Amino acid sequence: MTASTTRRTAAKSRIAAVGAIAVAGTMLLTACGDQTKSGPSGSDTAKATTGASNSPADLLPGEIKSKGVIKVGSDIAYPPVEFKDKSGKTVGIDPDIAAALGKQLGVEFQFENGTFDTLVTGLRSKRYDLAMSAMTDTKERQEGIDPETKKKVGEGVDFIDYFTAGVSIYTKKGDDQGIKTWSDLCGKKIAVQRNTVSHDLAKAESKKCAGGKKIAIEAYDNDLEAQTRLRSGGADAGSSDFPVAAYAVKTSGGGKDFQIVGDQVEAAPYGIAVAKGNDQLTKAVKAAMDAIIKSGEYEKIIAKWGVEAGAVTEAKLNGGS
């Protein structure tokens, strides 16, 4: 969710070479042929003397390796990023990427449902190992800063960026009421998910409205509730991350309920959040993300959900601004 300090927000900064080193090490071993005849290769010697790892799984903390499970906090009501299908199974972009990462790391990613604005707290309390919930990587989140008061409210988190998304406005189909930009919302009512970037943008824009025509903002626990409010005529517009808005337009009412208006704004990276200080886990997940991007598995997942426009070509650490 492109969300505020709690923004479900998406792609930017340093590239880790771990995945590339792992692949290079594998190539060297393959090229060396029968080691019983030629003796240990240079890479084997280096591994023995330096402890260099050959795979993302080697980077995982021992505690997680022994459990075989990574607990993932997620607000599972944000299709197509994460949601429950008709059978109750958790599906979507994030679960598919998590499954691919799990193969690289040799563990199972277990999604646990929680409200979006409590996920970072869940990381701090060690209820979750990761938070993966269309969460936008921002400097405020990295540093634990409240986006409105600009005061430090926590330790912050680290992000492994894996997707890029902006924010879109949508209205009932055939009834845009002249809404094309955020400034057009002055004097109108918008339904959003609480503590998201859409929520923040609505509050910021409302302060700019002239003549007392503020934006009436209705904030809900999840995006599906906001969509229901708009569908019933209780609001003039809704807003969410572009992939989510596009999916709602395509699927709600068989494509007859909503339409996107104007262009998406605030394009930013989604990141997998890790509590500060868990550097080993961060490195392992980043190496696994590098590996699935390199192998092409990431690209297949993104194409499956029709969101190729948000794909990244490299996993970056704390790339949000």
Side-chain angles (χ1 to χ4, degrees):
M1 274 161 230
T2 314
S4 71
T5 289
T6 339
R7 163 181 180 177
R8 279 195 179 213
T9 334
K12 300 179 185 176
S13 269
R14 298 158 220 130
I15 309 166
V18 177
I21 293 171
V23 173
T26 302
M27 291 174 68
L28 282 169
L29 289 172
T30 303
C32 286
D34 187 348
Q35 299 303 312
T36 61
K37 295 181 180 179
S38 60
S41 69
S43 60
D44 288 338
T45 302
K47 181 178 179 181
T49 57
T50 68
S53 66
N54 279 333
S55 74
D58 293 332
L59 298 171
L60 271 179
E63 182 181 359
I64 289 179
K65 275 186 184 179
S66 62
K67 290 180 180 178
V69 170
I70 289 179
K71 295 180 292 182
V72 183
S74 185
D75 182 357
I76 310 174
Y78 209 59
V81 186
E82 56 264 318
F83 62 104
K84 300 281 189 180
D85 66 11
K86 292 180 180 179
S87 70
K89 181 182 178 182
T90 300
V91 297
I93 299 167
D94 282 357
D96 281 357
I97 289 176
L101 295 176
K103 290 177 184 177
Q104 290 288 331
L105 295 168
V107 296
E108 179 186 358
F109 278 58
Q110 289 184 353
F111 277 69
E112 298 184 11
N113 199 16
T115 55
F116 186 73
D117 54 5
T118 64
L119 297 182
V120 171
T121 302
L123 285 175
R124 288 200 297 266
S125 67
K126 299 185 178 180
R127 178 179 178 181
Y128 314 123
D129 300 307
L130 307 173
M132 194 171 185
S133 194
M135 185 178 289
T136 302
D137 174 1
T138 65
K139 288 296 183 186
E140 287 92 349
R141 283 201 177 118
Q142 293 169 24
E143 298 171 3
I145 304 296
D146 184 283
E148 289 192 70
T149 65
K150 304 303 179 184
K151 294 181 179 179
K152 191 169 180 64
V153 292
E155 296 177 356
V157 296
D158 288 319
F159 287 101
I160 301 101
D161 298 338
Y162 66 100
F163 191 76
T164 303
V167 177
S168 293
I169 301 170
Y170 57 97
T171 66
K172 293 185 73 173
K173 194 162 188 176
D175 186 22
D176 67 16
Q177 300 189 56
I179 299 170
K180 300 296 182 187
T181 68
W182 282 87
S183 60
D184 295 329
L185 290 166
C186 293
K188 295 182 170 60
K189 183 183 292 185
I190 188 170
V192 296
Q193 180 173 356
R194 185 176 294 108
N195 289 329
T196 62
V197 168
S198 294
H199 194 184
D200 286 347
L201 285 172
K203 289 186 286 186
E205 192 62 47
S206 185
K207 293 177 181 179
K208 302 176 187 176
C209 293
K213 292 185 176 182
K214 301 296 184 182
I215 300 173
I217 304 169
E218 291 192 357
Y220 295 88
D221 285 340
N222 64 63
D223 198 69
L224 296 178
E225 292 177 356
Q227 290 178 25
T228 298
R229 181 62 168 164
L230 175 59
R231 192 183 299 111
S232 68
D236 301 304
S239 176
S240 56
D241 292 1
F242 172 74
V244 178
Y247 188 82
V249 167
K250 180 180 179 180
T251 61
S252 182
K256 297 179 181 179
D257 287 345
F258 304 131
Q259 64 185 25
I260 288 178
V261 295
D263 299 322
Q264 58 176 310
V265 299
E266 297 285 310
Y270 284 171
I272 300 171
V274 189
K276 291 287 188 185
N278 288 355
D279 296 347
Q280 196 173 348
L281 178 59
T282 299
K283 289 176 182 177
V285 174
K286 186 184 183 310
M289 184 63 66
D290 284 333
I292 67 170
I293 291 173
K294 186 178 181 66
S295 71
E297 190 168 5
Y298 167 85
E299 185 178 2
K300 290 178 183 177
I301 293 168
I302 296 301
K304 169 186 172 181
W305 293 99
V307 290
E308 294 93 330
V312 300
T313 58
E314 59 192 17
K316 294 184 177 181
L317 181 63
N318 292 331
S321 60

